[in-house]
Amino acid sequence: VKGTGNVVIRRQSDNAAVQTLAVTGAAVTVSGSVVTVAQTGLSANTGYYVTVDGTAFKDAAGGAFAGIADKTTWSFTTADITPPTVAGLSPATGATNVGVGANLVLTFSEAPLPDGLSLTVTAADGSSVAVSPPTLQGAVVSASLPALADGTYMVMWRVVADDGHPQTGMLHFGVGSGSASMSMSPIMWS
């Protein structure tokens, strides 16, 4: 049964109250022995803890709930829902006169998962270029290219974010006197 008082959601890093919900309000519901607190607006990948006033709930006989006043009884961390983004490419997309034997290096804003990592390189004529299996060190994906003939190449990459969603992209570059522009049919990832 609802009593009086508040449920307060606090950020662990600085103890700031980010939401204060009156137990008498619609955001707090009671069904039997289950209390549900409907909250919105918490930040991703952030630690929180919840305090509950000792007067907030009563049992059927009128006995008061002891409350929660510490940082550990009810604590949690929200999920990281921000997908990784490309923070750097080497060679850069559209680069020309890329040296023979250059490596592919993609730097992401956060480390992707190692499963589902792939890089494919295609020449302007549509032929596949064999590259070393991509490696992942932190947020950096790299692969060795073989010696490439002068021409234009497209790299398609795929990584998986820590929430399990795939992220894909492409870049193109020219080797030697090759142009960095390409006209190719898109490749669909499964």
Side-chain angles (χ1 to χ4, degrees):
V1 178
K2 289 184 180 184
T4 60
N6 296 311
V7 174
V8 181
I9 302 172
R10 297 179 179 277
R11 193 171 34 246
Q12 287 178 342
S13 63
D14 61 3
N15 300 318
V18 294
Q19 289 186 20
T20 300
L21 306 163
V23 297
T24 56
V28 179
T29 58
V30 178
S31 177
S33 62
V34 177
V35 174
T36 302
V37 179
Q39 55 69 40
T40 59
L42 298 181
S43 298
N45 200 30
T46 303
Y48 294 96
Y49 66 97
V50 180
T51 59
V52 181
D53 290 340
T55 57
F57 304 101
K58 302 177 204 172
D59 63 19
F65 171 65
I68 300 173
D70 62 78
K71 296 171 118 179
T72 58
T73 300
W74 188 0
S75 62
F76 59 94
T77 301
T78 53
D80 177 2
I81 57 171
T82 305
T85 57
V86 176
L89 298 169
S90 178
T93 192
T96 57
N97 294 315
V98 173
V100 174
N103 289 328
L104 291 174
V105 180
L106 291 87
T107 304
F108 291 90
S109 58
E110 62 184 66
L113 297 176
D115 296 334
L117 174 65
S118 66
L119 292 171
T120 60
V121 179
T122 307
D125 64 5
S127 62
S128 293
V129 175
V131 297
S132 69
T135 61
L136 175 62
Q137 291 187 337
V140 178
V141 175
S142 60
S144 298
L145 290 168
L148 297 172
D150 284 5
T152 302
Y153 298 87
M154 179 173 61
V155 177
M156 303 239 354
W157 56 265
R158 180 182 190 273
V159 297
V160 178
D162 59 4
D163 68 356
H165 288 90
Q167 301 290 319
T168 60
M170 69 176 188
L171 67 100
H172 53 276
F173 63 92
V175 171
S177 60
S179 166
S181 62
M182 293 185 81
S183 175
M184 299 181 68
S185 299
I187 299 172
M188 303 307 283
W189 292 95
S190 57

